[in-house]
């Protein structure tokens, strides 16, 4: 399949990339970056360097490989400059902005790519060899765009010096849990000045006390999904337990690390508490599903402390959500902190904005080759991920009617809808789908080169 790129379209994208010239050590880096981005928006079924080189007339496989693997440029610096541009162009709002934290799996055939191990892969519906990538994503009623991505490096990988060396994992990278990686990405957004009102995540993060404590320490208001076994304590019972006298001890004056059992309140689960709520206290609310259609649900909320074991956290709101009688659907639970001034309907609306990061993962894979990188190394993977994020933001910046108009020309020619998928219905009024379209032609290799089948770089060896 050949990508047809107009001369003006290529120049428009190159002008945009020129803003990031300081990231790349030489002019050829700007050109190679432009070509790689054009490959990401092509109609190729697999967006890897080998396939791109077959259809892009102005570059070669060797040039793309060198740019992605060997050329000394920092994807973290590219991300930082991209975030600065998005903030400067007013694409973040302190009143309505939501930062979504999530992860996705990238299936791999072999075991040698950096960070690969057995994960449950939702895309495949089973356990499989995958890389797990953690994402921070921004959304508001106008648009949504990526803050950044980071590979989750499993503990066995982090401790294996031979595999670290083979895949060029930087020495400063140590084992971090997914919630810890997510907090680091949140810190990246905070350092860049990405304004927002709330943070949200699914139960894989919401059930982790250290993750919630990290948000609270940063004074980040949040509403996160939690599981049915999420532990909570009622304020009245916490106060009553705290007043209980301590029994005599043989070691008076010795400081306690944990509270005495007599001063620990009962620990019901989220499901137990919401099951006890009377039917008349459940309110009908409208929430948005992943296709951004308004859906009716029943909801309730209770003032509780989050809790785990004998530890009692701060006060927040436990939110229960369930389908209307006779309708399909599963019950859900959320915990909100720092949002006491928001109504139940507002809290749920914010919680459901997490669809945006799922949309980024879906469209990133299906339209921009998010999961198509075939190399094995840490630097190559993170450069590919940073370029996917850059292409997403370029598409958004050239969308008419959004906060400000980029000075970069906006004449990438449209392409027909990909046959690989039928996209979900975009968001509500003004919520733009940013993935650009590039026209396609008949399946053919550019006349100036024959297909390139082999790789000269060990990093580009298929896994």
């Amino acid at each position: 399949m050949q990508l047809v790129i107009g001369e003006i379209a290529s120049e428009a994208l190159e002008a945009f990339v020129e803003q990031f010239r300081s990231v790349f050590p030489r002019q050829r880096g700007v050109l190679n970056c432009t070509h790689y981005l054009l490959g990401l928006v092509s109609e190729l079924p697999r967006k890897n360097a080998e396939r791109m080189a077959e259809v892009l007339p102005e570059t070669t496989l060797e040039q793309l490989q060198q740019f992605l693997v060997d050329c000394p440029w920092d994807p973290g610096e590219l991300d930082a400059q991209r975030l600065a541009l998005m903030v400067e162009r007013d694409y973040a709002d302190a009143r309505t902005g939501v930062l979504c934290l999530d992860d996705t799996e990238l299936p791999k055939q072999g075991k040698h790519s950096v960070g690969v191990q057995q994960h449950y892969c939702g895309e495949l519906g089973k356990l499989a060899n995958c890389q797990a990538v953690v994402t921070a994503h921004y959304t508001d009623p106008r648009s949504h765009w990526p803050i950044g991505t980071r590979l989750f490096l499993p503990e066995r990988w982090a401790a294996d010096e031979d595999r670290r060396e083979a895949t060029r994992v930087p020495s400063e990278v140590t084992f971090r849990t997914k919630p810890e990686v997510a907090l680091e990405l949140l810190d990246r957004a905070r350092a860049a000045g990405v304004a927002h009102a709330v943070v949200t995540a699914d139960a894989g993060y919401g059930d982790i006390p250290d993750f919630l404590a990290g948000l609270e320490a940063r004074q980040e208001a949040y509403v996160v999904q939690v599981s049915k076994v999420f532990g909570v304590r009622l304020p009245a019972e916490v106060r009553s337990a705290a007043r209980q006298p301590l029994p005599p001890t043989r070691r008076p004056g010795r400081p306690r690390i944990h509270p005495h059992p007599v001063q620990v309140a009962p620990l019901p689960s989220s499901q137990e508490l919401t099951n006890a709520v009377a039917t008349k206290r459940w309110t009908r609310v409208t929430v948005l599903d992943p296709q951004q259609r308004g859906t009716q649900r029943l909801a309730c909320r209770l003032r509780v402390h989050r809790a785990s074991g004998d530890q009692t956290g701060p006060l927040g709101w436990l939110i229960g959500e369930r389908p209307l009688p006779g309708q399909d659907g599963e019950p859900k639970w959320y915990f909100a902190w720092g949002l006491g001034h928001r109504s139940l309907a507002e809290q749920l609306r914010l919680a459901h904005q997490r669809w945006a990061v799922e949309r980024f993962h879906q469209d990133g894979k299906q339209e921009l080759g998010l999961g198509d990188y075939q190399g094995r190394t840490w630097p190559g993977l993170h450069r590919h991920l940073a370029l996917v994020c850059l292409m997403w933001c370029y598409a958004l910046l050239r969308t008419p009617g959004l906060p400000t108009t980029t000075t970069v020309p906006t004449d990438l020619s449209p392409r027909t809808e990909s046959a690989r998928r039928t996209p979900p219905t975009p968001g509500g009024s003004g919520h733009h789908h940013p993935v650009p379209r590039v026209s396609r032609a008949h399946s053919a290799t550019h006349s100036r080169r024959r297909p390139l089948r082999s790789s000269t770089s060990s990093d580009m060896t298929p896994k």
Side-chain angles (χ1 to χ4, degrees):
M1 182 177 295
Q2 182 180 2
L3 177 68
V4 178
I5 306 166
E7 181 71 22
I8 299 178
S10 179
E11 290 179 353
L13 187 55
E14 185 178 342
F16 172 74
V17 175
E18 186 68 32
Q19 298 176 85
F20 306 94
R21 180 175 177 76
S22 63
V23 175
F24 307 111
R26 55 183 70 91
Q27 177 62 32
R28 186 70 214 181
V30 172
L31 294 175
N32 286 333
C33 179
T34 303
H35 293 146
Y36 198 86
L37 295 178
L38 288 169
L40 291 178
V41 295
S42 72
E43 286 287 351
L44 290 168
R46 298 286 292 178
K47 312 291 182 69
N48 57 62
E50 186 173 347
R51 300 282 79 81
M52 291 179 190
E54 293 178 355
V55 299
L56 290 168
E58 301 298 331
T59 192
T60 66
L61 174 60
E62 291 78 8
Q63 288 171 339
L64 292 178
Q65 287 177 341
Q66 184 182 41
F67 169 69
L68 210 60
V69 180
D70 299 320
C71 186
W73 63 274
D74 180 8
E77 178 59 25
L78 180 61
D79 279 338
Q81 292 193 23
R82 174 178 57 83
L83 292 181
L85 178 63
M86 298 303 286
V87 170
E88 176 188 343
R89 300 291 176 86
D90 196 29
Y91 277 82
D93 182 69
R95 296 176 297 104
T96 62
V98 180
L99 286 186
C100 313
L101 303 173
D102 199 7
D103 56 81
T104 189
E105 291 72 40
L106 310 180
K108 297 296 174 183
Q109 295 298 320
K111 301 179 180 180
H112 301 291
S113 294
V114 61
V116 164
Q117 73 168 20
Q118 288 271 302
H119 294 275
Y120 177 78
C121 179
E123 182 179 334
L124 303 177
K126 62 180 182 180
L127 284 172
N129 283 339
C130 297
Q131 294 168 318
V133 172
V134 182
T135 302
H137 197 76
Y138 174 88
T139 184
D140 65 27
R142 306 168 300 173
S143 61
H144 64 102
W145 48 275
I147 299 296
T149 56
R150 166 79 181 273
L151 176 70
F152 164 70
L153 191 68
E155 192 167 9
R156 284 182 296 174
W157 267 87
D160 191 325
E161 291 301 327
D162 290 338
R163 288 204 287 185
R164 289 179 65 105
E165 182 178 359
T167 55
R168 295 169 57 188
V169 177
S171 59
E172 64 271 17
V173 174
T174 58
F175 173 69
R176 294 284 190 274
T177 64
K178 291 179 183 177
E180 288 172 334
V181 175
L183 289 173
E184 291 174 357
L185 291 172
L186 171 61
D187 289 338
R188 182 186 300 181
R190 288 160 56 92
V194 179
H196 57 281
V198 65
V199 174
T200 190
D202 68 11
Y205 297 82
D207 278 354
I208 307 301
D210 287 346
F211 173 73
L212 301 184
L215 295 177
E216 292 153 7
R218 292 165 172 81
Q219 291 296 299
E220 289 282 354
Y222 64 81
V223 53
V224 294
Q225 189 172 355
V226 297
S227 69
K228 64 182 180 181
V229 298
F230 181 75
V232 294
R233 290 192 169 100
L234 296 172
E237 293 179 347
V238 170
R239 292 192 297 269
S240 176
R243 290 194 295 265
Q244 297 298 313
L246 294 175
T249 178
R250 293 182 179 180
R251 298 179 179 179
R254 185 176 182 181
R256 297 191 63 87
I257 299 176
H258 299 281
H260 194 281
V262 303
Q263 294 185 329
V264 177
L267 184 65
S269 69
S270 53
Q271 184 180 44
E272 290 170 339
L273 273 192
T274 57
N275 282 350
V277 175
T279 301
K280 65 181 181 181
R281 292 185 57 195
W282 288 78
T283 303
R284 184 176 296 210
V285 297
T286 301
V287 298
L288 296 178
D289 63 19
Q291 283 72 43
Q292 286 290 279
R293 297 173 299 206
T295 304
Q296 293 284 303
R297 293 282 197 275
L298 292 177
C300 70
R301 65 175 180 176
L302 302 108
R303 192 71 165 155
V304 298
H305 292 269
R306 67 171 182 85
S308 177
D310 60 9
Q311 300 299 305
T312 301
L315 274 169
W317 291 98
L318 173 66
I319 303 170
E321 177 192 317
R322 65 190 187 193
L324 298 176
Q327 292 189 354
D328 294 333
E330 298 294 327
K332 297 179 181 179
W333 295 269
Y334 304 89
F335 184 74
W337 178 85
L339 295 172
H341 61 292
R342 303 268 191 171
S343 68
L344 171 59
E346 289 176 317
Q347 290 176 350
L348 269 181
R349 180 186 62 79
L350 292 169
H352 279 262
Q353 292 305 303
R354 193 175 60 81
W355 70 268
V357 67
E358 296 175 351
R359 179 67 183 260
F360 169 69
H361 288 153
Q362 175 185 322
D363 287 350
K365 291 176 182 179
Q366 296 178 340
E367 298 289 352
L368 296 178
L370 180 70
D372 290 349
Y373 176 65
Q374 289 192 335
R376 294 179 174 178
T377 69
W378 176 280
L381 173 64
H382 285 88
R383 289 171 178 178
H384 171 78
L385 296 174
L387 292 168
V388 169
C389 292
L390 182 64
M391 190 66 240
W392 185 287
C393 289
Y394 170 71
L396 186 61
L397 287 165
R398 61 182 288 274
T399 302
L402 287 181
T404 54
T405 303
T406 176
T407 57
V408 178
T410 58
D411 43 10
L412 276 177
S413 55
R415 69 177 182 181
T416 58
E417 182 62 50
S418 171
R420 288 181 281 120
R421 71 175 185 100
T422 300
T425 303
S429 177
H431 205 140
H432 294 271
H433 182 299
V435 179
R437 301 288 184 255
V438 177
S439 60
R440 59 183 175 179
H442 299 291
S443 179
T445 303
H446 192 271
S447 59
R448 291 168 51 187
R449 78 163 45 77
R450 57 183 175 79
L452 297 174
R453 299 294 179 188
S454 62
S455 170
T456 58
S457 170
S458 61
D459 180 59
M460 303 304 290
T461 304
K463 288 72 55 206

